Amino acid sequence: MARPEKVAEVELLTEKMQNSEGLILADFSGLTVSEVNDLRRKCRAQGVEFRVVKNRLARRAATAAELADLDDLLRGPTAIAFGFESPVEPAKVLAEFAKENEKVSIKGGMLEGKVISLAEVKALSELPGREELLAMIARGFNAPTQGFVNVLTGTVSAFVRALNAVAEQRGEAE
């Protein structure tokens, strides 16, 4: 790459590192072009950007973004999955793809300005997604209301059963 192109790439990576909720670094060596394209498609579907980077340029971008702790992860062939909407999605997509394809290995990641290990990335990938968490919260908010409705329904139905029993007794007495 010519110098202006490198400067532009560093600026772009710096911006992406600063604006992402979380990022995951992976070694993709051995993947075919079609496999990389498949991974990119899966990433795009989840709102994740998958980008192959040069380590030297990524180091400069990390330093500019004040994420200098990434140096240990920037060795060998490196790709970065940026999650702009959720820090969980890049981990989920890469972990799922790594299960299907042994050639991909996750190196680690960055979450809230701190480097996370492979084990932490795997734990992050097992968290429920944003939509699932929102559904859980909605169920939590709905549970007391649903319980109250059930209590009221139970009280009303018990009252109706008592009235029916009294009506039947009067019917038998006449």
Side-chain angles (χ1 to χ4, degrees):
M1 261 193 238
R3 182 121 180 97
E5 293 167 342
K6 289 180 182 179
V7 170
E9 180 71 14
V10 169
E11 288 173 358
L12 180 68
L13 284 173
T14 301
E15 180 184 331
K16 290 184 183 304
M17 287 179 180
Q18 289 172 335
N19 294 332
S20 69
E21 295 280 326
L23 53 96
I24 306 299
L25 288 86
D27 182 346
F28 64 96
S29 58
L31 287 180
T32 64
V33 172
S34 64
E35 290 170 331
V36 171
N37 288 337
D38 183 39
L39 177 55
R40 283 192 170 128
R41 241 187 321 280
K42 289 179 180 182
C43 287
R44 260 192 309 270
Q46 298 300 321
V48 174
E49 183 178 335
F50 183 79
R51 188 172 191 87
V52 175
V53 296
K54 289 189 173 189
N55 291 334
R56 187 172 16 103
L57 300 179
R59 277 190 198 95
R60 288 181 183 168
T63 302
E66 298 176 0
L67 305 173
D69 297 338
L70 282 177
D71 286 348
D72 292 339
L73 300 176
L74 294 169
R75 304 207 187 292
T78 304
I80 302 176
F82 297 96
F84 298 107
E85 298 170 14
S86 165
V88 176
E89 292 307 321
K92 280 184 171 284
V93 172
L94 283 179
E96 183 180 316
F97 193 82
K99 284 180 189 175
E100 298 168 4
N101 195 323
E102 298 168 358
K103 297 173 190 170
V104 174
S105 63
I106 297 172
K107 296 179 177 185
M110 179 73 67
L111 183 64
E112 296 180 358
K114 296 182 181 162
V115 174
I116 57 175
S117 67
L118 175 60
E120 291 169 318
V121 170
K122 286 187 179 184
L124 187 63
S125 72
E126 294 169 358
L127 287 176
R130 184 176 191 277
E131 298 300 320
E132 296 169 74
L133 287 173
L134 290 174
M136 290 173 157
I137 290 171
R139 280 195 301 268
F141 284 138
N142 193 30
T145 308
Q146 189 67 35
F148 182 67
V149 168
N150 288 340
V151 167
L152 289 179
T153 304
T155 303
V156 171
S157 63
F159 179 69
V160 170
R161 282 193 301 270
L163 284 178
N164 282 337
V166 169
E168 287 177 12
Q169 285 178 351
R170 286 190 179 171
E172 290 176 4
E174 293 177 1

